Amino acid sequence: MLDISYSPYWLILCLSLGLGYAFLLYNKHKGPWKPIWNKVLFVLRTIAITLIAYLLLEPFLNIRRTESEDSNIVFLIDDSESVNEGDDNFNKTFSSILQLKEKLEDEKGVHIPILNLKGDIITSSDSLEGFQKSSPLNQSLKNISDLIDEALISRVVLFSDGIYNQGISPDYYAFPFELSTVGLGDTVQKKDVVLKEIRYNKVAYQGNEFPIEVDILQSGFENQVGRVKLLKEGKTIDQEVINFIGDDNLSTVQFLVSADDFGFQSYTVRVEALEGEFIQENNSKNAYVNIIEGKKKILFLAPYPHPDIKALTASLDQNTNYEYELNIASVNKKQLKNIAEYDLAILFHLPNRNNVFISEIRKIANANIPIWFVNGPNMAFNIHNEVNKSTELRPSAEVDEAFAYINPKFDLFQLENEKQEIQSKLPPVYLPYVKHQFHPLAQSFMMKRVGNVKTQQPIFVFYKDDQTRQATLLAQNFRVWRMVEYLNTESYDFFDSWVSKTIQYLTANNKRDLFKVFPIKDAFLDNEMIKFNVELYNEVFDRIFDVPIRLILKNEKDSILNYEFTPDRLKPNFDLGTLAEGVYDYTAIGNLQGVNYTSSGQFVVDQFDIEKQNLKANFNLLRRVAQKNNGKFYKVDELSSLESDLMANDYPKVLNGESEVIPITQNIIPYIIILILLFSEWFIRRFFGSY
């Protein structure tokens, strides 16, 4: 269909221009030709001018192509380790699923892709040899819409044991397609002892004692005795005996450990295997504790009490690495004697117009102490802009209620994907309505989201230079994040994580070396990519690249791994891949301008064995998921019923249309027509002896 971007009434104007121009030339018979040729020339000139004017409106041809495609019944297979361990007949079940797929495709003409939890297409049982170490059921179901057009999905069938251990529960979310579920595995609890959870502080202080606490869940060993051992470097350093009272009884054991050595220390808690246990791989867990010299001291200044302060201090209380002093001007203002003893200052709604703590703020800035600005109302803009190196506030009395999202390009530290998913579900907070001015070197951690639109407006930025580090949070009322997160997940993982990582980054050593090679975090999982950041500078601290670097890793067993890489502008950092569990010492070696440099440190790789913690299938969850999404629940021995239900339906082909817009001005045909019209007019006039 031919169309223009303007109102159709413009066509009348184009035709008027053509008629007007032709009327001026041929309204009277002036040439040496018959009146009939005068009319012909009038028509040729009208059409030519009208067409030229029409082309100025940039017309386009809207072509719609329609084609039919097969409907899809998507089979999603839970290929996690819990299914493999809990269902002895899984291979037989998968063969039945393949047969059902072939029968439906042959008789119903429907397309049936079989996907695993990662979204990969499975064609045979050989594709299922590598079972997943987690069960992100909700995310896997959501990803189907990204892989296949929703209009082409007739139904989705999830084959699972109903055990999820990553992300939120799948019955929390309504999916945009009909969803049925098939229960795999066994709902009967197997005879087993599981070291369910291990709790410890990631950091301890040399010379102190720290606790390692474990929860032990048993089933089938009622009135029996178990022995729990704490080991270091393979040697037992403590042990406890516990009495198993009843099935599904949770026992807690605590060990108190002396922090004698320095650096990362590895401890293993192990429950001795009992006769008849179904699986013994879940009887032990490791604890990796970084033993350091002292706590970080934090100065928390505020002009008045505020619920957001309570949320921040509640997170600080969860981490024994931090020792903070809360000083509220209207409640308990104290005289600060030695500003230099603090590792970080949190300025909550400061500096403000009442000049509260002004002298202390100037001392903090002059001492180059890292500052976390939490902005609020009644800010003293001139003083704030003087001490804040990253953000220049602009006066505004208005606030906007909007959401926040994590900037995917932020690389100073990382939050786990599950925590970012939680953040996307949190309510809006108050954000400044005006756009502030940010330093070009400031990195945005959180940004503003309005509805589903992710803006590029920062609301939480980090900044560092040769002297100090700073962060600026523009959000207000963010305590609701902590409250709603607990309502949804019964934990404060996301909130405590971003607060802790903010403080950890701000209090880190700010020394600027020419040669810096370090892991992006201190602890990884054995199914996680190990990534190293690389920063190389010349004598004037310009970033340089293309310097060969040798990286040497040494684990607790004295095994040595060697890597060589050369950072460049497109890929400045280095991915090692996955590593086995353990504590690793690393040393990076490079030569800058004829001088050898080294960078060394430690990191930890922990075991990710969550799939072996629970092997009892959860069919109730699968029933709820099916009911919420207009589907049905089937047990694995009811595949014939699933087949009958699927065969009873028709799956007509889906018409899928695509529109293509082709600008007429990019086609040569209109110009040829105009040329023919004008040439014809010229030829007729010349033929009769006129110009």
Side-chain angles (χ1 to χ4, degrees), residues 389-406:
K389 299 181 179 181
S390 66
T391 308
E392 180 181 332
L393 295 185
R394 296 176 177 176
S396 174
E398 298 183 57
V399 293
D400 186 19
E401 196 172 40
F403 301 90
Y405 73 96
I406 304 296

Side-chain angles (χ1 to χ4, degrees), residues 250-360:
L250 190 69
S251 302
T252 301
V253 176
Q254 185 182 86
F255 298 102
L256 203 58
V257 187
S258 297
D260 298 326
D261 298 322
F262 187 76
F264 277 104
Q265 304 299 315
S266 173
Y267 301 90
T268 301
V269 180
R270 180 177 299 147
V271 183
E272 287 189 347
L274 298 176
E275 185 177 354
E277 273 195 69
F278 178 72
I279 183 172
Q280 297 181 11
E281 286 86 345
N282 54 15
N283 283 32
S284 66
K285 280 185 176 294
N286 291 333
Y288 297 98
V289 182
N290 188 12
I291 299 177
I292 59 177
E293 292 181 315
K295 294 185 178 182
K296 299 292 186 181
K297 297 192 67 175
I298 300 172
L299 177 61
F300 201 132
L301 301 180
Y304 39 70
H306 194 282
D308 285 350
I309 296 176
K310 179 63 177 177
L312 288 175
T313 55
S315 286
L316 293 175
D317 288 334
Q318 302 302 312
N319 197 322
T320 58
N321 306 339
Y322 307 135
E323 177 183 324
Y324 68 91
E325 178 183 337
L326 180 58
N327 201 338
I328 300 178
S330 63
V331 178
N332 61 342
K333 185 175 181 180
K334 305 172 186 175
Q335 187 69 28
L336 300 176
K337 296 180 180 179
N338 186 10
I339 294 290
E341 69 179 356
Y342 296 101
D343 298 291
L344 171 67
I346 300 178
L347 303 184
F348 185 86
H349 296 184
L350 291 173
N352 70 358
R353 296 174 187 170
N354 295 329
N355 294 326
V356 177
F357 293 118
I358 290 299
S359 62
E360 289 83 353

Side-chain angles (χ1 to χ4, degrees), residues 44-60:
L44 290 175
R45 179 57 64 101
T46 299
I47 296 174
I49 298 303
T50 300
L51 189 54
I52 291 172
Y54 182 68
L55 290 179
L56 293 175
L57 297 179
E58 299 180 346
F60 56 86

